[in-house]
Amino acid sequence: MKKFAIDTWALTKRSLVKYRRNPQAVVFTLIQPIMFVLLFRYVFGGAIQTPPGVDYVNLLIPGIVVQNAVFSAAAASVAISDDLANGFTDRLRSLPTARLAPLTGRVFADTLRAGLLVTVIFFVGIVVGFRPEWSWGLIVAWLLLMLVAFGFAWIAVAIGVSVKSPEVAQSAGFIWIFPLTFASSVFVPVDTMPDWLAAIATVNPVTQFADATRALVLDAQITSALGWSLVWVVILTAIGATFTIRGWNRMTKP
Amino acid sequence: MTPVSAVIEARGLVKKFGDVVALDGLDLTVHEGSVLGLLGPNGAGKTTAVRILTTLLKPDVGSATVAGFDVVKQANKVRGVIGLTGQYAAVDEYLTGRENLRMFGDLYHLKQSYVRERSEELLARFDLTEAADRSLRTYSGGMRRRLDLAASLIGRPSILFLDEPTTGLDPRSRIGLWEVITDLVAEGTTVLLTTQYLEEADQLAEEIVVIDHGRVIAQGTSDTLKDEVGGDRVEIVLVDATQLTSAVELLTPVATGDITTEPEDSRISLPVTGGSSSLIDVIRRLDANKVEIADVALRRPTLDDVFLTLTGHAAEDES
């Protein structure tokens, strides 16, 4: 267990350093959410119906942080697939290193990165008029967002170990994210959607995450959505980790 | 000579990928402190063999031990005593040279203080101290390979697997890497080297195993393999092509087999024994009979000849 922790940390550090050294990646991960904030705050925001007395920016920012917690996890598909393609994983597997550390290291790095990213977006939100309730709810929301990132990172890693090449991972790793985050309460209230879509959006875990986050940051309230969110985190982690470990083991005994 | 023990031993390894038979009953023995060159064309099964011996793959049939540990049942023990340098430089692009070495040291579960010391030692040895704090993206191909090799040495492995370590390197970097490998062997490291470059096997390996289609087709030292293919040949190019027939007649007593000629190039090639004395004999006979020579050479067979003869195709052909 101690070995596992040491190896996971060594590889978490590697992923974080790698990310920091790649200024392009840093810029693009930041530019995209900031563009979304500006686009929805100033371009689309005025046309989106909100419940009376609620400012759209207060709905938007808790939604966008959820979207980005999901987004930041998706990078893991490409990273894992790259490591497999260029021999790095082979080297790790020829060392007396804990078997699953390359995967857990990646997941932890992405979770920490998501924690940082949502913090940046939070403060960008403040600049454009977002007014949260300053309370313990913010801390709980922040922890929830990291759990969301953790769950989706396992899904992304599972995709990374299942696809044949980094190119496939590039598209397979991102393609599910747009429908998943848009057909939800992230950007618009679900009841403004056509019935069939509203039905999908209601059961979408991302809606639960966004609703739970809103209740926490706006009113410091614990809602049933938070409960469902935690259930979803467990489900995502279980599915992701199961397929990941299955794919990982298959590589040693095809 | 005292018998040396086998540190790598494979018996009847079979590995199939779907319908493709990568290994078809491969046997290998590598003795302590020696270099075994595993030679074969692309797809012969070299990499599959290395992957099994380094615990990355499980064989379908057969067994192997490395340093006395079973590669399947005691995989983790094997991993503690080996180093692997694969076909790609498996180091992190964004980390610096020093960070890479320290990371691999941590992953070997070595003591922090030891990792630090050993990293500096390896950086110095591989001539990378100056570049130690630069990201690998600024490294040349040769530097990357050197770091890759350094990374596999961080835990002082007694057995090193080098899978085509110099593929894609320029000749200077290749020779540099050869020197390093030679030094390691001198210090007692056992090396299993796969290569497509016959010159590389000739330079580094005492014993050579040639494989094709997943089985061993020849085995021995570079010299014994060359002798199997045929001994020395003297090759002569004449100034005057009309003297070709008379030259062949003059040389028949010297030749140990059939003399071949290429009239369009005025070239004669004859198998001989006795090395340079037969060369002198050839020149005397021709000179005494006023046959003018444009060029003459005594040629030892190269490993390329060995390869071509054994497998029917050249080493670097796609199979």
Side-chain angles (χ1 to χ4, degrees), chain A residues 46-83:
Chain A
I48 295 170
Q49 295 171 30
T50 55
V54 180
D55 198 345
Y56 179 63
V57 70
N58 284 341
L59 294 184
L60 176 68
I61 299 303
I64 283 196
V65 290
V66 169
Q67 186 202 26
N68 280 281
V70 180
F71 256 81
S72 74
S77 305
V78 181
I80 289 283
S81 181
D82 264 339
D83 279 354

Side-chain angles (χ1 to χ4, degrees), chain B residues 42 46-47 86-87 145 162-167 194-196:
Chain B
N42 280 336
K46 302 186 298 282
T47 297
Q87 293 179 28
R145 283 301 177 93
L162 303 172
D163 190 11
E164 302 194 8
T166 63
T167 298
T194 80
T195 184
Q196 291 186 42

Side-chain angles (χ1 to χ4, degrees), chain B residues 79 177 214 245 248 305:
Chain B
R79 290 173 194 133
L177 212 57
T245 333
V248 170
D305 298 328

Side-chain angles (χ1 to χ4, degrees), chain A residues 78-153:
Chain A
V78 181
I80 289 283
S81 181
D82 264 339
D83 279 354
L84 282 168
N86 66 23
F88 193 82
T89 305
D90 273 354
R91 154 152 291 157
L92 292 182
R93 288 171 56 234
S94 77
L95 301 180
T97 304
R99 299 283 80 194
L100 296 178
L103 306 167
T104 46
R106 184 71 220 183
V107 167
F108 279 117
D110 283 327
T111 306
L112 293 175
R113 198 162 63 96
L116 207 65
L117 180 63
V118 300
T119 309
V120 172
I121 299 168
F122 176 84
F123 286 107
V124 171
I126 303 277
V127 172
V128 299
F130 168 55
R131 293 295 169 261
E133 168 94 15
W134 294 94
S135 72
W136 54 267
L138 295 180
I139 309 281
V140 178
W142 189 67
L143 294 173
L144 171 66
L145 291 165
M146 294 227 276
L147 285 178
V148 169
F150 180 83
F152 277 108

